[in-house]
Amino acid sequence: MVKYKCLLLIAFGLSFGVQAETTAKEQHDPTEPLGWMTPNKVVTKKAKPKEKIPTLQLLTCADSQPCRAVINNKLVRKGDEVSGYHVTAIDDTAVILNKGSKTWTLELFSSDIKY
C-alpha cells in the first residue's frame, strides 16, 4: 500500500512538472481564440501628395488688348508663370498651362450650359 502511494505521488509530481514546463514555453494568453497568431506588421507607403492645379477665376478679352486671366487670385497674361505653371495661351474661352511635358486647359464654363 505504501508502495502504491509513493508511485502515485511520483506520477502526480511528474505530470505537474511537465504541465508547468509546457506552460512556461508557450507563454500565451489562455483567453485568446484557437488558432490565434500574432499579426504581421503591415508596411504602408506614403502616397505622393497630389499636385493642385491652379483655378481659373476670370477671363477678359478687350478689342485692343490681349486676353488676360485671373488664376489663383493673380492677374496673368500669355507668357507669365503662376504656381509653377507656364501660361502658354489665353483666349476668350480657356487658358492653356504647361508644366514640364504636361498641358492643362482651364475653362470657366462647360460648353453645354442648359438654361
Side-chain angles (χ1 to χ4, degrees):
M1 180 87 164
V2 174
K3 203 182 217 185
Y4 292 116
K5 286 184 182 178
C6 287
L7 285 174
L8 189 60
L9 286 175
I10 291 172
F12 280 133
L14 287 177
S15 67
F16 179 73
V18 170
Q19 182 183 6
E21 184 179 331
T22 305
T23 305
K25 283 182 184 178
E26 291 176 7
Q27 294 293 324
H28 67 85
D29 181 7
T31 62
E32 69 189 18
L34 295 175
W36 182 84
M37 294 177 55
T38 318
N40 294 335
K41 290 184 180 180
V42 177
V43 178
T44 57
K45 294 181 181 180
K46 292 184 179 178
K48 284 195 259 180
K50 272 196 161 181
E51 189 173 340
K52 188 171 181 182
I53 300 171
T55 304
L56 176 61
Q57 297 161 320
L58 175 73
L59 275 173
T60 179
C61 294
D63 292 333
S64 61
Q65 295 186 3
C67 293
R68 294 176 290 181
V70 175
I71 300 174
N72 289 353
N73 297 323
K74 183 179 176 186
L75 182 65
V76 294
R77 295 182 184 151
K78 180 180 175 183
D80 288 348
E81 194 169 305
V82 62
S83 301
Y85 293 83
H86 183 71
V87 180
T88 56
I90 301 176
D91 63 19
D92 59 342
T93 60
V95 176
I96 298 175
L97 302 175
N98 283 339
K99 187 171 186 179
S101 63
K102 295 184 179 180
T103 301
W104 288 267
T105 302
L106 305 179
E107 296 178 334
L108 280 177
F109 304 106
S110 68
S111 58
D112 39 325
I113 298 175
K114 296 182 181 176
Y115 293 97

